[in-house]
């Protein structure tokens, strides 16, 4: 979770208890020290660098250069099973009403023809942190407050820390394999892509990650990209960590017509379906992976799987399907890319939920009104 960046139009102040000058707004033409909690400055007349110390009262200072920044003081220390101390970062777009100069963000996902970025990190040893590239999206062209969808690309994870939520599998994007996590921090949904080993630099398509999240059903083409950011989340230590270079380019001109989902069709008489339901439960939560198999002889075009969850279970977020819950009744509808199930084919979706009491799985399922067997 990233707390608000406070835009304060002042300069030349001194950090409390420090002799280090802070930069609050303005442009960094030479090395500029920022120690103010939410202080920021502009580089290259294109990007904003922010201190963004939101998770601790201890002092954090960053040295801003013409191409990035370095953490020079990091006195905060948080337990590694909780939130980090800060998110010092450089960004393109809009973040809590602070917009980078001349940005064309927010821009609708359907309008994106390309979104590329290049990043180089400097790492240190003996600290607990992640090097995180954040991509923020929202159903509206939002320039202030919390966006509903956060994509986190973990290029380096050091110490006993982990992403929000739980792992849901792996994927290959921009020529690399990533472990995918999914969850919610209470304010926004988060999908994280974790590199198996540290990545020092990467030149990649941001749009590849956005499209993967869209294919998981977490956003649609009508949502808006609001900002892309690169920085660090330190838990313990972190002085010396730096973003030595950052660039981003977002271009419009994409399709103006969002994909449509065909209406569900009932399987023909004599056809069948099977459902495999694989849960993973812990003290107060669970995830479920659901696979639908078409055992009929005709293609299913559009599907809606309905069933009842046992008492004490509440769906909080889902992927690869639009999942709604009313009381115990659950409806899971396909998203645009997985609406057709050929004979013998499958469709897969999953979700995360909260749990109160002992866990048990649903016992019966219907697909487009037709009862399914258990696989």
């Amino acid at each position: 979770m990233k707390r608000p960046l406070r835009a304060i139009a002042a300069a030349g102040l001194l950090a409390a208890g420090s002799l280090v000058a802070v930069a609050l707004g303005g442009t960094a033409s030479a090395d500029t020290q920022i120690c103010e909690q939410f202080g920021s400055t502009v580089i290259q007349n294109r990007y904003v660098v922010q201190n963004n110390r939101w998770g601790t009262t201890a002092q954090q200072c960053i040295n801003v250069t013409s191409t990035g920044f370095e953490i020079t003081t990091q006195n905060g220390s948080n337990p590694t099973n909780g939130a980090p101390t800060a998110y010092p970062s450089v960004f393109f777009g809009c973040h809590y009403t602070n917009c980078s100069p001349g940005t064309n963000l927010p821009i609708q996902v359907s309008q994106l023809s390309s979104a590329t970025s290049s990043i180089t990190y400097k790492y240190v040893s003996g600290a607990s942190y992640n090097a995180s590239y954040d991509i923020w999206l929202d159903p509206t062209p939002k320039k202030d407050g919390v966006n509903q969808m956060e994509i986190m690309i973990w290029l380096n994870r050091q110490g006993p820390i982990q992403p929000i939520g739980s792992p849901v599998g792996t994927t290959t994007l921009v020529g690399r394999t990533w472990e995918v996590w999914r969850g919610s921090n209470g304010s926004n949904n988060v999908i994280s892509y974790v590199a198996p080993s540290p990545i020092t630099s990467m030149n990649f398509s941001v749009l590849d990650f956005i499209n993967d999240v869209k294919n998981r059903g977490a956003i649609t083409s009508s949502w808006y990209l609001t900002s892309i950011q690169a920085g660090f989340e330190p838990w313990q230590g972190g002085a010396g960590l730096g973003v030595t270079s950052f660039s981003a380019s977002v271009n419009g001109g994409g399709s103006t017509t969002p994909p449509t989902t065909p209406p569900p069709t009932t399987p023909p008489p004599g056809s069948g379906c099977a459902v495999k339901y694989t849960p993973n439960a812990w003290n107060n939560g669970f995830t479920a992976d659901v696979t639908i198999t078409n055992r009929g002889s005709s293609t299913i075009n559009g599907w809606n799987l309905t069933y009842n969850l046992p008492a004490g279970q509440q769906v909080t977020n889902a992927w690869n399907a639009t999942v709604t819950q009313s009381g115990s009744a659950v409806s899971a509808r396909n998203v645009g890319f997985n609406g057709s199930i050929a004979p013998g084919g499958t469709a897969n979706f999953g979700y995360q939920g909260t749990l109160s009491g002992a866990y048990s799985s649903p016992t019966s399922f219907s697909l487009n009104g037709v009862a399914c067997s258990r696989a």
Side-chain angles (χ1 to χ4, degrees):
M1 177 179 178
K2 314 301 186 300
R3 293 294 176 87
L5 183 154
R6 312 282 173 82
I8 305 175
L13 301 179
L14 296 182
S18 170
L19 295 179
V20 181
V22 300
L24 307 179
T27 300
S29 56
D31 287 10
T32 301
Q33 287 285 334
I34 301 179
C35 296
E36 196 273 335
Q37 183 176 7
F38 298 110
S40 70
T41 191
V42 172
I43 62 173
Q44 301 175 35
N45 199 33
R46 181 172 175 83
Y47 309 116
V48 175
V49 178
Q50 58 176 340
N51 197 27
N52 202 12
R53 172 177 56 82
W54 62 267
T56 180
T57 58
Q59 188 183 63
Q60 172 180 279
C61 296
I62 60 175
N63 182 62
V64 183
T65 69
S66 61
T67 59
F69 70 92
E70 180 177 316
I71 301 174
T72 55
T73 304
Q74 175 50 263
N75 294 329
S77 181
N78 285 353
T80 53
N81 62 349
T85 62
Y87 184 58
S89 52
V90 53
F91 71 84
F92 175 80
C94 295
H95 182 78
Y96 284 90
T97 71
N98 191 0
C99 295
S100 57
T103 183
N104 57 346
L105 301 184
I107 185 172
Q108 203 162 32
V109 171
S110 64
Q111 292 292 307
L112 293 173
S113 60
S114 67
T116 57
S117 187
S118 178
I119 180 74
T120 303
Y121 285 96
K122 174 191 173 186
Y123 299 136
V124 298
S125 59
S128 292
Y129 65 89
N130 76 61
S132 173
Y133 194 105
D134 268 22
I135 305 166
W136 288 94
L137 302 110
D138 196 80
T140 65
K142 195 169 188 177
K143 296 182 180 181
D144 63 339
V146 178
N147 286 191
Q148 290 190 25
M149 185 72 238
E150 178 184 11
I151 303 172
M152 296 187 70
I153 308 173
W154 288 44
L155 287 89
N156 188 2
R157 171 170 54 170
Q158 296 296 317
I161 58 175
Q162 68 178 41
I164 289 167
S166 56
V168 296
T170 60
T171 191
T172 300
L173 292 171
V174 297
R176 300 175 184 270
T177 299
W178 308 86
E179 184 181 51
V180 183
W181 290 61
R182 189 159 181 165
S184 172
N185 61 24
S187 297
N188 54 268
N189 294 323
V190 186
I191 295 181
S192 302
Y193 298 84
V194 183
S197 59
I199 299 172
T200 303
S201 62
M202 190 165 73
N203 190 345
F204 67 105
S205 170
V206 174
L207 194 54
D208 286 358
F209 289 90
I210 294 174
N211 285 334
D212 187 73
V213 168
K214 184 174 67 173
N215 290 340
R216 294 174 187 273
I219 65 169
T220 69
S221 294
S222 65
W223 282 47
Y224 290 81
L225 171 65
T226 64
S227 70
I228 48 182
Q229 313 177 357
F232 297 92
E233 289 186 325
W235 271 259
Q236 298 171 2
L241 294 171
V243 172
T244 58
S245 68
F246 172 82
S247 67
S249 177
V250 178
N251 296 300
S255 171
T256 59
T257 305
T260 58
T261 301
T265 57
T266 302
S271 67
C273 53
V275 173
K276 182 180 180 181
Y277 191 91
T278 306
N280 177 30
W282 55 94
N283 289 341
N284 56 1
F286 72 101
T287 59
D289 184 79
V290 185
T291 301
I292 305 167
T293 301
N294 179 6
R295 290 186 171 171
S297 57
S298 301
T299 297
I300 298 173
N301 291 311
W303 49 265
N304 180 26
L305 186 71
T306 55
Y307 52 96
N308 291 321
L309 282 179
Q313 298 182 22
Q314 181 66 47
V315 175
T316 56
N317 58 82
W319 48 94
N320 294 348
T322 301
V323 179
T324 57
Q325 181 176 355
S326 177
S328 63
V330 173
S331 169
R333 292 183 178 273
N334 67 277
V335 291
F337 72 92
N338 64 357
S340 295
I341 311 177
T346 61
N348 176 266
F349 70 94
Y351 54 89
Q352 183 175 6
T354 56
L355 174 64
S356 175
Y359 176 82
S360 59
S361 295
T363 57
S364 61
F365 301 86
S366 293
L367 186 68
N368 296 348
V370 176
C372 296
S373 62
R374 293 294 298 273

